[in-house]
Every structure is written in structure tokens, then in C-alpha cells.
Amino acid sequence: DAGVIQSPRHEVTEMGQEVTLRCKPISGHDYLFWYRQTMMRGLELLIYFNNNVPIDDSGMPEDRFSAKMPNASFSTLKIQPSEPRDSAVYFCASSYHMMNTEAFFGQGTRLTVV
Amino acid sequence: DAKTTQPNSMESNEEEPVHLPCNHSTISGTDYIHWYRQLPSQGPEYVIHGLTSNVNNRMASLAIAEDRKSSTLILHRATLRDAAVYYCILYSGAGSYQLTFGKGTKLSVIP
């Protein structure tokens, strides 16, 4: 397996534009996570899915953020409208059972909102 | 959430063992102890995990205190590629996913 695949790797957008980040988890994994990493706040869990169903979105910063998982092999994180403070590296990860197994992370998407 | 405490930074000489400590005094009986590391410009990478007993794998060893209130990640021979931020994380058994990354320990390896 190629691992968790995220696209794009880098995204530069203007404030107010819609941004969509994409993730393809490892085949067969039933958990998918979206994280955001900044220097100030470190790694933060935004939302996670189990079997394509959002389970906990308490980490989503505000209504401008939304995430979907239409099928087991694809998830999106959308920011609309984007703001400069959304600039960060966004990671997607997937795993089997949560507690007794490892999570595999993608390479991340570096988002810059100008 | 059960919290972990780690030193902000540590240094090691290349080819020497490294002991990275983690305190988790409020750990519950069902919490697993996981360690991840993040190399520069990469996503976090799984290192090892355990519940009560010490664990070994090809990357490292995990020593867990008898009362489970602390643990130590052991890299047996540090290489330059081991320079990274190491995170000690507790997986909560409370049903909701509580994988919380702290600030971690930045390990520098000196040639």
C-alpha cells in the first residue's frame, strides 16, 4: 500500500477563497483523522471518522470548517471562506482499531492563506 | 483527558543510547501508552505502544513503570536520522477518540 495520500502537498490561496484538502486512507482502515499543526498550537485533532461516519468533530475550530467522508477511500476537509489564521499544515491519518494499533499519517498539506 | 509531561528537549551523541522520559500520573487503567515521532517536514510516525508490560520492536523499547505513572522510550543506538520530536500519547479507553499530542521532546543527535 502507498500509505495515506494527501493532496495537494502545498496550497496557497487568497483570503475568502474556498479550500479543499483531500485524503485517501490506507485500504481497509476504518478510522480516519484530520489534524492541524501550527507552531503556536502544535498538533490538534480536528475530527475523526469511523466507518465513514463522523464521530467527534469537537476540534473543528468553527463553522467555516467542514469534513466529509463519502466512501471508505476518500475524505475531504473544506474551509470556506479561508482566513490567514487557517495557515497551517493539515495532516490526515488512518488506522484500524483506535487504541491498540498504530495510526499512519500522510505527508500533510501546507496551507498558506494570504 | 489524561495528560503527559515530557522534557522540551534532549541531546544525545550519535551511537549512544537515549532514554526519553514521559510522566502520566493521571493515567487510567485502560489507557494505552503510545509513542510517535515527527521528523522535520514529515507527518508523525508510529514508534511503539504498550499497556502494562515492557515492549520491544525494531525501532525502540518501551519501559513502563510498575504503577504506570511514567514510561521511558529507549533508542538503543541513536543515529542522525533519529533527530525528531518525540510524542508520548495516551489513548483514552473512554469511547471517544482522545489521541492528544502534547509538545513532545525535541531530540537532537550530535555526530
mmCIF file of all heavy atoms in Angstrom, chain B residues 21-45:
data_model
loop_
_atom_site.group_PDB
_atom_site.id
_atom_site.type_symbol
_atom_site.label_atom_id
_atom_site.label_comp_id
_atom_site.label_asym_id
_atom_site.label_seq_id
_atom_site.Cartn_x
_atom_site.Cartn_y
_atom_site.Cartn_z
ATOM 1 N N PRO B 21 12.000 10.319 28.705
ATOM 2 C CA PRO B 21 11.013 10.070 29.748
ATOM 3 C C PRO B 21 9.657 10.694 29.452
ATOM 4 O O PRO B 21 9.557 11.681 28.713
ATOM 5 C CB PRO B 21 11.648 10.738 30.972
ATOM 6 C CG PRO B 21 12.404 11.899 30.388
ATOM 7 C CD PRO B 21 12.885 11.453 29.027
ATOM 8 N N CYS B 22 8.635 10.125 30.078
ATOM 9 C CA CYS B 22 7.278 10.665 29.978
ATOM 10 C C CYS B 22 6.550 10.383 31.285
ATOM 11 O O CYS B 22 6.544 9.247 31.757
ATOM 12 C CB CYS B 22 6.542 10.024 28.804
ATOM 13 S SG CYS B 22 4.852 10.632 28.576
ATOM 14 N N ASN B 23 5.965 11.417 31.860
ATOM 15 C CA ASN B 23 5.154 11.255 33.059
ATOM 16 C C ASN B 23 3.686 11.331 32.696
ATOM 17 O O ASN B 23 3.264 12.216 31.934
ATOM 18 C CB ASN B 23 5.495 12.332 34.092
ATOM 19 C CG ASN B 23 6.844 12.093 34.730
ATOM 20 O OD1 ASN B 23 7.192 10.962 35.051
ATOM 21 N ND2 ASN B 23 7.619 13.143 34.913
ATOM 22 N N HIS B 24 2.913 10.432 33.248
ATOM 23 C CA HIS B 24 1.461 10.400 33.008
ATOM 24 C C HIS B 24 0.794 9.908 34.283
ATOM 25 O O HIS B 24 0.219 8.825 34.332
ATOM 26 C CB HIS B 24 1.090 9.523 31.796
ATOM 27 C CG HIS B 24 2.038 8.394 31.509
ATOM 28 N ND1 HIS B 24 2.033 7.215 32.224
ATOM 29 C CD2 HIS B 24 3.015 8.281 30.588
ATOM 30 C CE1 HIS B 24 2.965 6.422 31.737
ATOM 31 N NE2 HIS B 24 3.577 7.025 30.747
ATOM 32 N N SER B 25 0.836 10.761 35.298
ATOM 33 C CA SER B 25 0.398 10.365 36.637
ATOM 34 C C SER B 25 -1.107 10.137 36.724
ATOM 35 O O SER B 25 -1.568 9.475 37.658
ATOM 36 C CB SER B 25 0.829 11.410 37.663
ATOM 37 O OG SER B 25 0.291 12.669 37.315
ATOM 38 N N THR B 26 -1.888 10.681 35.795
ATOM 39 C CA THR B 26 -3.351 10.513 35.852
ATOM 40 C C THR B 26 -3.846 9.437 34.884
ATOM 41 O O THR B 26 -5.028 9.390 34.565
ATOM 42 C CB THR B 26 -4.060 11.840 35.553
ATOM 43 O OG1 THR B 26 -3.679 12.290 34.236
ATOM 44 C CG2 THR B 26 -3.687 12.903 36.581
ATOM 45 N N ILE B 27 -2.970 8.578 34.452
ATOM 46 C CA ILE B 27 -3.338 7.534 33.503
ATOM 47 C C ILE B 27 -4.403 6.627 34.099
ATOM 48 O O ILE B 27 -4.396 6.331 35.302
ATOM 49 C CB ILE B 27 -2.084 6.730 33.088
ATOM 50 C CG1 ILE B 27 -2.387 5.805 31.912
ATOM 51 C CG2 ILE B 27 -1.521 5.956 34.279
ATOM 52 C CD1 ILE B 27 -1.145 5.161 31.317
ATOM 53 N N SER B 28 -5.354 6.200 33.278
ATOM 54 C CA SER B 28 -6.376 5.277 33.755
ATOM 55 C C SER B 28 -5.984 3.852 33.381
ATOM 56 O O SER B 28 -5.085 3.633 32.563
ATOM 57 C CB SER B 28 -7.737 5.613 33.145
ATOM 58 O OG SER B 28 -7.773 5.227 31.788
ATOM 59 N N GLY B 29 -6.681 2.910 33.963
ATOM 60 C CA GLY B 29 -6.307 1.514 33.774
ATOM 61 C C GLY B 29 -6.410 1.010 32.355
ATOM 62 O O GLY B 29 -5.754 0.029 31.993
ATOM 63 N N THR B 30 -7.223 1.676 31.538
ATOM 64 C CA THR B 30 -7.418 1.206 30.157
ATOM 65 C C THR B 30 -6.655 2.030 29.128
ATOM 66 O O THR B 30 -6.781 1.782 27.938
ATOM 67 C CB THR B 30 -8.910 1.246 29.795
ATOM 68 O OG1 THR B 30 -9.402 2.574 30.021
ATOM 69 C CG2 THR B 30 -9.694 0.262 30.644
ATOM 70 N N ASP B 31 -5.896 2.996 29.582
ATOM 71 C CA ASP B 31 -5.142 3.828 28.639
ATOM 72 C C ASP B 31 -3.911 3.097 28.124
ATOM 73 O O ASP B 31 -3.106 2.593 28.910
ATOM 74 C CB ASP B 31 -4.670 5.126 29.309
ATOM 75 C CG ASP B 31 -5.781 6.125 29.515
ATOM 76 O OD1 ASP B 31 -6.860 5.939 28.914
ATOM 77 O OD2 ASP B 31 -5.569 7.100 30.261
ATOM 78 N N TYR B 32 -3.750 3.082 26.803
ATOM 79 C CA TYR B 32 -2.528 2.604 26.198
ATOM 80 C C TYR B 32 -1.536 3.770 26.101
ATOM 81 O O TYR B 32 -1.926 4.918 25.917
ATOM 82 C CB TYR B 32 -2.784 2.070 24.786
ATOM 83 C CG TYR B 32 -3.369 0.684 24.755
ATOM 84 C CD1 TYR B 32 -4.721 0.467 24.990
ATOM 85 C CD2 TYR B 32 -2.572 -0.421 24.470
ATOM 86 C CE1 TYR B 32 -5.261 -0.804 24.957
ATOM 87 C CE2 TYR B 32 -3.098 -1.699 24.425
ATOM 88 C CZ TYR B 32 -4.439 -1.888 24.674
ATOM 89 O OH TYR B 32 -4.969 -3.152 24.638
ATOM 90 N N ILE B 33 -0.266 3.454 26.209
ATOM 91 C CA ILE B 33 0.799 4.449 26.069
ATOM 92 C C ILE B 33 1.404 4.286 24.685
ATOM 93 O O ILE B 33 1.909 3.210 24.343
ATOM 94 C CB ILE B 33 1.886 4.244 27.140
ATOM 95 C CG1 ILE B 33 1.276 4.330 28.538
ATOM 96 C CG2 ILE B 33 3.006 5.282 26.962
ATOM 97 C CD1 ILE B 33 2.144 3.695 29.607
ATOM 98 N N HIS B 34 1.298 5.329 23.895
ATOM 99 C CA HIS B 34 1.837 5.301 22.536
ATOM 100 C C HIS B 34 2.942 6.328 22.396
ATOM 101 O O HIS B 34 2.867 7.411 22.978
ATOM 102 C CB HIS B 34 0.742 5.617 21.521
ATOM 103 C CG HIS B 34 -0.202 4.495 21.259
ATOM 104 N ND1 HIS B 34 -0.336 3.897 20.010
ATOM 105 C CD2 HIS B 34 -1.076 3.851 22.066
ATOM 106 C CE1 HIS B 34 -1.242 2.949 20.089
ATOM 107 N NE2 HIS B 34 -1.710 2.890 21.316
ATOM 108 N N TRP B 35 3.897 6.023 21.559
ATOM 109 C CA TRP B 35 4.944 6.970 21.205
ATOM 110 C C TRP B 35 4.972 7.138 19.684
ATOM 111 O O TRP B 35 4.960 6.159 18.931
ATOM 112 C CB TRP B 35 6.318 6.489 21.687
ATOM 113 C CG TRP B 35 6.546 6.664 23.147
ATOM 114 C CD1 TRP B 35 6.109 5.852 24.153
ATOM 115 C CD2 TRP B 35 7.280 7.705 23.781
ATOM 116 N NE1 TRP B 35 6.524 6.322 25.372
ATOM 117 C CE2 TRP B 35 7.254 7.466 25.174
ATOM 118 C CE3 TRP B 35 7.968 8.838 23.320
ATOM 119 C CZ2 TRP B 35 7.877 8.297 26.105
ATOM 120 C CZ3 TRP B 35 8.599 9.654 24.240
ATOM 121 C CH2 TRP B 35 8.552 9.385 25.609
ATOM 122 N N TYR B 36 4.999 8.396 19.284
ATOM 123 C CA TYR B 36 5.167 8.755 17.890
ATOM 124 C C TYR B 36 6.352 9.708 17.794
ATOM 125 O O TYR B 36 6.742 10.329 18.782
ATOM 126 C CB TYR B 36 3.910 9.468 17.344
ATOM 127 C CG TYR B 36 2.769 8.530 17.038
ATOM 128 C CD1 TYR B 36 2.012 7.975 18.054
ATOM 129 C CD2 TYR B 36 2.456 8.197 15.719
ATOM 130 C CE1 TYR B 36 0.983 7.090 17.769
ATOM 131 C CE2 TYR B 36 1.419 7.328 15.425
ATOM 132 C CZ TYR B 36 0.694 6.780 16.462
ATOM 133 O OH TYR B 36 -0.331 5.906 16.175
ATOM 134 N N ARG B 37 6.889 9.812 16.603
ATOM 135 C CA ARG B 37 7.921 10.811 16.377
ATOM 136 C C ARG B 37 7.627 11.530 15.066
ATOM 137 O O ARG B 37 6.939 11.005 14.187
ATOM 138 C CB ARG B 37 9.304 10.184 16.353
ATOM 139 C CG ARG B 37 9.620 9.345 15.125
ATOM 140 C CD ARG B 37 11.019 8.787 15.221
ATOM 141 N NE ARG B 37 11.411 8.058 14.006
ATOM 142 C CZ ARG B 37 12.591 7.478 13.842
ATOM 143 N NH1 ARG B 37 13.501 7.526 14.822
ATOM 144 N NH2 ARG B 37 12.871 6.858 12.727
ATOM 145 N N GLN B 38 8.130 12.738 14.988
ATOM 146 C CA GLN B 38 7.918 13.546 13.780
ATOM 147 C C GLN B 38 9.258 14.092 13.327
ATOM 148 O O GLN B 38 9.854 14.937 14.010
ATOM 149 C CB GLN B 38 6.924 14.676 14.040
ATOM 150 C CG GLN B 38 6.533 15.430 12.783
ATOM 151 C CD GLN B 38 5.417 16.419 13.020
ATOM 152 O OE1 GLN B 38 5.160 16.842 14.146
ATOM 153 N NE2 GLN B 38 4.722 16.804 11.963
ATOM 154 N N LEU B 39 9.701 13.591 12.194
ATOM 155 C CA LEU B 39 10.924 14.107 11.590
ATOM 156 C C LEU B 39 10.603 15.434 10.908
ATOM 157 O O LEU B 39 9.446 15.708 10.570
ATOM 158 C CB LEU B 39 11.483 13.104 10.576
ATOM 159 C CG LEU B 39 12.305 11.940 11.158
ATOM 160 C CD1 LEU B 39 11.472 11.047 12.052
ATOM 161 C CD2 LEU B 39 12.946 11.131 10.040
ATOM 162 N N PRO B 40 11.601 16.248 10.683
ATOM 163 C CA PRO B 40 11.362 17.558 10.058
ATOM 164 C C PRO B 40 10.610 17.432 8.740
ATOM 165 O O PRO B 40 10.943 16.599 7.900
ATOM 166 C CB PRO B 40 12.787 18.103 9.856
ATOM 167 C CG PRO B 40 13.600 17.426 10.904
ATOM 168 C CD PRO B 40 13.010 16.056 11.051
ATOM 169 N N SER B 41 9.585 18.236 8.595
ATOM 170 C CA SER B 41 8.800 18.335 7.355
ATOM 171 C C SER B 41 8.078 17.036 6.993
ATOM 172 O O SER B 41 7.749 16.811 5.826
ATOM 173 C CB SER B 41 9.686 18.752 6.172
ATOM 174 O OG SER B 41 10.296 19.992 6.431
ATOM 175 N N GLN B 42 7.820 16.201 7.985
ATOM 176 C CA GLN B 42 7.074 14.968 7.729
ATOM 177 C C GLN B 42 5.913 14.831 8.702
ATOM 178 O O GLN B 42 5.846 15.539 9.707
ATOM 179 C CB GLN B 42 7.990 13.756 7.852
ATOM 180 C CG GLN B 42 9.083 13.707 6.784
ATOM 181 C CD GLN B 42 9.771 12.365 6.743
ATOM 182 O OE1 GLN B 42 9.211 11.344 7.153
ATOM 183 N NE2 GLN B 42 10.985 12.337 6.238
ATOM 184 N N GLY B 43 5.021 13.907 8.395
ATOM 185 C CA GLY B 43 3.944 13.603 9.313
ATOM 186 C C GLY B 43 4.440 12.746 10.455
ATOM 187 O O GLY B 43 5.488 12.116 10.370
ATOM 188 N N PRO B 44 3.701 12.713 11.562
ATOM 189 C CA PRO B 44 4.093 11.842 12.680
ATOM 190 C C PRO B 44 4.192 10.390 12.236
ATOM 191 O O PRO B 44 3.468 9.937 11.352
ATOM 192 C CB PRO B 44 2.973 12.049 13.691
ATOM 193 C CG PRO B 44 2.430 13.407 13.376
ATOM 194 C CD PRO B 44 2.520 13.519 11.889
ATOM 195 N N GLU B 45 5.077 9.671 12.908
ATOM 196 C CA GLU B 45 5.354 8.277 12.576
ATOM 197 C C GLU B 45 5.258 7.460 13.864
ATOM 198 O O GLU B 45 5.827 7.840 14.891
ATOM 199 C CB GLU B 45 6.761 8.188 11.982
ATOM 200 C CG GLU B 45 7.290 6.800 11.752
ATOM 201 C CD GLU B 45 8.764 6.810 11.354
ATOM 202 O OE1 GLU B 45 9.514 7.657 11.877
ATOM 203 O OE2 GLU B 45 9.150 5.957 10.537
#
